[in-house]
Amino acid sequence: MSSIQEDGRARRRAVTGIKDSLRDLRAQLSLLNHRVSTRLGLRDVDLDCLELVQKQGPLTPSALARLAGLHPATLTGVLDRLQRAGWITRSRDPDGPDRRAVLVHAAKDRAADVYALYAGMNTAMDDLLAGYSDGELALLADFLERTTRAGRVATEDLTAD
């Protein structure tokens, strides 16, 4: 077997290993998020929407529904639960097309409740990343950004069907 063929096989094994690791990571993060949502008394979808509002908000309900991939009627139930539990507020959208337009805001005083449950993971990540050089961190950040973008495109492709 030539060294070119051996290199090709080694590369395919490495690529397969990375894809397998990403699937394992997705599953582990899903389990972590499920535990966090359970501790907070939320459904998994509620936590997903709350995180979107915390990161990208304030958002209109229709924008949040698009980002979360939810039907607007489903999102209404999610927002009602989050508001009743004090995780979000809704306010009139001053730039909205009419008086009924609203914006969804994350309750700032509740963010620490969420972050506290991720403290163990954040500490573990800080410890893990401390062993990488600045160049390696830049490479990892680029890989993760590109992977996120690829996932977004794949999701949009499935949504378009």
Side-chain angles (χ1 to χ4, degrees):
M1 180 180 306
S2 74
S3 68
I4 293 173
Q5 287 174 319
E6 287 177 23
D7 289 347
R9 286 184 179 166
R11 181 175 178 84
R12 282 191 299 277
R13 279 193 301 275
V15 168
T16 298
I18 290 169
K19 290 176 182 178
D20 287 345
S21 292
L22 285 171
R23 280 190 290 277
D24 292 344
L25 175 61
R26 187 223 49 87
Q28 191 57 55
L29 290 176
S30 180
L31 291 170
L32 174 63
N33 288 337
H34 178 70
R35 295 277 164 82
V36 168
S37 63
T38 299
R39 290 270 181 103
L40 295 172
L42 299 173
R43 297 178 186 184
D44 292 356
V45 68
D46 298 353
L47 179 62
D48 293 342
C49 289
L50 177 60
E51 288 183 346
L52 286 168
V53 173
Q54 285 175 330
K55 184 170 177 134
Q56 299 185 27
L59 296 167
T60 64
S62 59
L64 180 55
R66 275 192 307 280
L67 286 170
L70 297 174
H71 188 277
T74 302
L75 182 68
T76 298
V78 169
L79 293 178
D80 289 346
R81 287 190 300 273
L82 289 172
Q83 188 169 13
R84 273 193 308 270
W87 291 103
I88 60 145
T89 58
R90 297 181 212 184
S91 66
R92 187 177 167 297
D93 182 355
D95 299 324
D98 60 46
R99 300 184 296 168
R100 296 170 294 163
V102 298
L103 288 173
V104 178
H105 304 262
K108 291 181 184 1
D109 62 325
R110 300 290 308 269
D113 297 341
V114 177
Y115 297 135
L117 294 172
Y118 286 107
M121 181 63 170
N122 285 331
T123 299
M125 291 304 302
D126 289 343
D127 293 345
L128 174 71
L129 295 172
Y132 289 92
S133 70
D134 290 347
E136 291 168 328
L137 289 173
L139 177 67
L140 288 169
D142 178 66
F143 171 76
L144 291 171
E145 288 169 13
R146 289 176 178 211
T147 301
T148 300
R149 198 172 317 123
R152 188 176 301 117
V153 168
T155 301
E156 289 168 357
D157 288 348
L158 287 174
T159 303
D161 290 345

